[in-house]
Amino acid sequence: MAREFTRVGVVGLGTMGAGIVEVFARNGVDVVAVEVSDAALERGRANLTGSTDRAVARGKLAEADRDALLGRVTFAVGLDALHSVDLVIEAVPERLDIKQRLFADLDRVCKPEAILATNTSSLSVTEIAVATTRPDQVIGMHFFNPAPVMKLVEVVRTVVTSADVVADVEALCVRLGKVDVTITDRAGFIANALLFGYLNHAIGMFEARYATREDIDAAMKLGCGLPMGPLALLDLIGLDTAYEILDTMYRRGGRDRRHSPVPLLRQMVTAGLLGRKSGRGFYTYERAGSGKLVPDELTPTAPTSTDGARAVTTVGVVGSGTLAAGLVETFTAAGYQVVPVDPAGELPRLADVDLVVEATADDLDGTKALLAGLGEVCKPGVVLATTTSALPVIDLAMASGRPADVVGLHFANPATPLVEIVRTIRTSAEATATARAVVAALGRTGVVCADRAGFIVNALLFPYLNDAVRMLEADYSTTDDIDNAMKLGCGYPTGPFELLDTVGLDVALAVQRALYRELREPGLAPAPLLEQLVTADRPFRR
């Protein structure tokens, strides 16, 4: 039978620590909330009261319940106040030396049977545990921010953590209304191991000026249904925190370059550009601690986005499949005169159109031949757009004989409002502006990116999915727990394995192969398990 936790301690009352205090107190558990100084304690008290007051204002918490919640919390300076608690959770800065010293002190102060838990998101729980004389009673309880809202807790056991301790903490998570996933001690656990490789990749895109910060974030929100774009999320997490997590994962996780912090991240941290907490990160905020954006030197001005666009009234759509039919309907509904043609023999009908959109199968030789034919029959100045999701747009552009007129228009998914506008090194500013104007006229959101495998969405999404397959392949966790970790811990609409089965493993493998061929990054090589499942024609779930 699981032990009863009647009194717990929380050390460190920043945003996360105060949130953990609130979680316990909301669920009827008495809490001793500890900080290192009176000033820090008052800041922690303000964090807690501010959160509960906001919950009352939003109708999420009754005033009487708030008062009862706060009445369960005892604030104290110094660890000696924790002498009689049943469990302690620390939420101090993410530095191994700090946590080891703290656990050595907790080992001295706390009663012998007390469980000592760390909220670390990336450090080794084992290395923290060995600073005590009771490593079998040390465990990871990784809450997610904001702790009162996010349902996931990663329960991290070491090789010496007692089975009874694991069972007791799992039962406690249920009592707190949380969903736990129990895993072994590995860099990044589940959620951060998958999340931060993706975030790091997004920083690299921005650093390389592959796309603007706004377009990168819009692409992932609209193309994948994520609650926040990666750069906005990094500002929320804190760039210093992100750097520490990535650096720890890189050093502990086999030195995978995908987790090696992008140089721009270190530079921004050094410069004090830490995100919302400092008032400036990838974006600029009204003040330190605010989430309200204010314009800065990188903020785009809408009137210039379609300057120089060519007039378009007639659109030719080349293709006979589902995408082509959908585009005919979309352009017609937007008021364009549409000329649908079959690529086999009807190209001369496009002699007088203002824009051509090809929506044929992704076959390099066949599409190059098609673009060559369009280059011959279309009048000068016509923008030639390809909907390819996998082919290099520059190859198609050069085949056309008029590369300045060629642009990619990747309709990421018929159900989403996103269109990726792909410019090559030969695409003219007029062609890009025309594509922007047309996408806007369709009621879609256009994001502009350079011509690279995967564009924005697939280049960020599929390596994350591949990392999830590698995690499963290593027998670190199950498909259900990995999916739950990303949905409940990161707010993703679907888990990676649910998404893989929806997209199709063959499609995922093809995209991942294309990314690997272009970048030759070892971490982007398709997971062997993914290759095997495609060969065996097996999904992750039946």
Side-chain angles (χ1 to χ4, degrees):
M1 184 176 178
R3 79 172 78 180
E4 182 71 16
F5 295 94
T6 58
R7 190 172 179 83
V8 304
V10 177
V11 182
L13 303 179
T15 302
M16 178 58 75
I20 295 172
V21 170
E22 183 176 340
V23 169
F24 280 101
R26 272 179 180 257
N27 289 277
V29 181
D30 291 335
V31 185
V32 180
V34 171
E35 263 291 1
V36 295
S37 67
D38 289 327
L41 193 70
E42 287 310 306
R43 288 194 296 270
R45 191 194 304 269
N47 285 335
L48 178 61
T49 56
S51 175
T52 53
D53 286 349
R54 286 192 297 272
V56 170
R58 294 169 182 165
K60 303 292 186 182
L61 186 66
E63 288 189 20
D65 291 336
R66 175 200 57 194
D67 296 342
L69 183 161
L70 296 175
R72 297 187 189 102
V73 182
T74 301
F75 291 91
V77 173
L79 301 180
D80 288 343
L82 302 171
H83 63 90
S84 64
V85 300
D86 304 309
L87 166 74
V88 179
I89 301 178
E90 65 78 18
V92 301
E94 194 77 344
R95 280 180 45 191
L96 182 61
D97 59 334
I98 292 175
K99 292 183 188 285
Q100 286 180 322
R101 286 197 300 271
L102 172 61
F103 271 71
D105 289 340
L106 291 173
D107 187 35
R108 173 182 55 80
V109 168
C110 295
K111 61 187 182 183
E113 64 271 24
I115 294 175
L116 309 181
T118 171
N119 184 57
T120 183
S121 59
S122 60
L123 297 174
S124 168
V125 179
T126 304
E127 291 184 44
I128 294 170
V130 296
T132 75
T133 61
R134 56 175 98 177
D136 60 321
Q137 291 169 235
V138 176
I139 195 166
M141 287 186 73
H142 179 215
F143 288 78
F144 289 77
N145 193 27
V149 176
M150 304 304 283
K151 289 292 186 183
L152 182 72
V153 176
E154 289 177 316
V155 176
V156 187
R157 65 177 187 271
T158 74
V159 291
V160 295
T161 305
S162 162
D164 288 342
V165 168
V166 174
D168 290 341
V169 170
E170 289 174 335
L172 176 61
C173 290
V174 173
R175 176 182 173 185
L176 298 176
K178 301 295 186 181
V179 175
D180 78 271
V181 293
T182 300
I183 46 181
T184 56
D185 186 18
R186 174 176 138 168
F189 313 138
I190 296 177
N192 282 354
L194 296 181
L195 176 65
F196 278 86
Y198 151 72
L199 295 178
N200 201 38
H201 192 177
I203 300 170
M205 274 190 177
F206 178 69
E207 180 183 54
R209 299 185 180 181
Y210 177 67
T212 67
R213 61 188 181 181
E214 288 85 1
D215 282 355
I216 291 170
D217 280 352
M220 299 313 291
K221 286 176 64 180
L222 299 176
C224 298
L226 301 184
M228 297 183 75
L231 302 180
L233 178 57
L234 280 158
D235 275 358
L236 176 63
I237 292 169
L239 274 62
D240 51 343
T241 301
Y243 180 85
E244 291 297 331
I245 290 173
L246 281 165
D247 187 56
T248 300
M249 287 171 55
Y250 175 70
R251 289 184 286 104
R252 286 189 61 213
R255 299 189 178 271
D256 184 341
R257 283 172 52 86
R258 280 175 42 74
H259 294 143
S260 177
V262 170
L264 176 62
L265 180 59
R266 182 181 182 280
Q267 294 163 16
M268 293 178 74
V269 171
T270 302
L273 305 178
L274 307 181
R276 292 189 184 185
K277 66 174 73 174
S278 67
R280 182 156 187 183
F282 289 102
Y283 297 89
T284 300
Y285 301 88
E286 189 174 48
R287 62 183 181 280
S290 170
K292 183 179 179 181
L293 291 173
V294 296
D296 58 23
E297 67 275 11
L298 297 181
T299 302
T301 52
T304 65
S305 63
T306 57
D307 282 358
R310 302 166 187 168
V312 175
T313 58
T314 307
V315 177
V317 176
V318 183
S320 56
T322 303
L323 176 58
L327 291 176
V328 169
E329 183 178 340
T330 298
F331 279 104
T332 301
Y336 291 100
Q337 182 180 343
V338 180
V339 181
V341 303
D342 189 296
E346 294 186 335
L347 296 189
R349 294 178 55 205
L350 302 174
D352 294 321
V353 301
D354 305 311
L355 166 70
V356 177
V357 181
E358 75 81 15
T360 60
D362 274 340
D363 170 70
L364 182 59
D365 291 338
T367 310
K368 285 171 66 175
L370 172 60
L371 266 292
L374 292 172
E376 291 178 359
V377 304
C378 293
K379 64 187 180 184
V382 172
V383 173
L384 307 178
T386 172
T387 62
T388 183
S389 63
L391 302 179
V393 178
I394 188 61
D395 287 10
L396 309 181
M398 298 309 295
S400 74
R402 46 207 282 187
D405 295 330
V406 177
V407 67
L409 281 182
H410 179 224
F411 291 77
N413 185 312
T416 69
L418 180 72
V419 180
E420 291 173 305
I421 300 170
V422 186
R423 51 175 172 74
T424 76
I425 57 173
R426 295 290 299 272
T427 303
S428 69
E430 292 81 4
T432 302
T434 302
R436 279 184 179 274
V438 168
V439 169
L442 295 178
R444 304 288 182 102
T445 298
V447 297
V448 177
C449 63
D451 181 23
R452 217 174 77 178
F455 310 140
I456 298 175
V457 173
N458 286 355
L460 291 178
L461 174 64
F462 281 88
Y464 148 76
L465 298 177
N466 194 53
D467 288 347
V469 179
R470 288 185 181 278
M471 187 176 284
L472 180 70
E473 186 176 56
D475 201 26
Y476 182 63
S477 191
T478 66
T479 56
D480 287 340
D481 278 356
I482 294 171
D483 279 352
N484 280 335
M486 299 314 294
K487 289 190 293 185
L488 301 178
C490 299
Y492 280 26
T494 58
F497 295 105
E498 293 171 334
L499 185 55
L500 278 163
D501 280 345
T502 299
V503 169
L505 302 191
D506 54 339
V507 173
L509 179 58
V511 172
Q512 198 62 37
R513 282 175 173 169
L515 294 171
Y516 178 64
R517 279 197 305 269
E518 181 169 276
L519 300 175
R520 298 298 178 184
E521 178 62 54
L524 294 177
L529 177 60
L530 180 59
E531 303 237 23
Q532 293 161 12
L533 289 171
V534 171
T535 301
D537 193 24
R538 285 279 306 275
F540 285 103
R541 294 181 175 85
R542 287 194 178 276

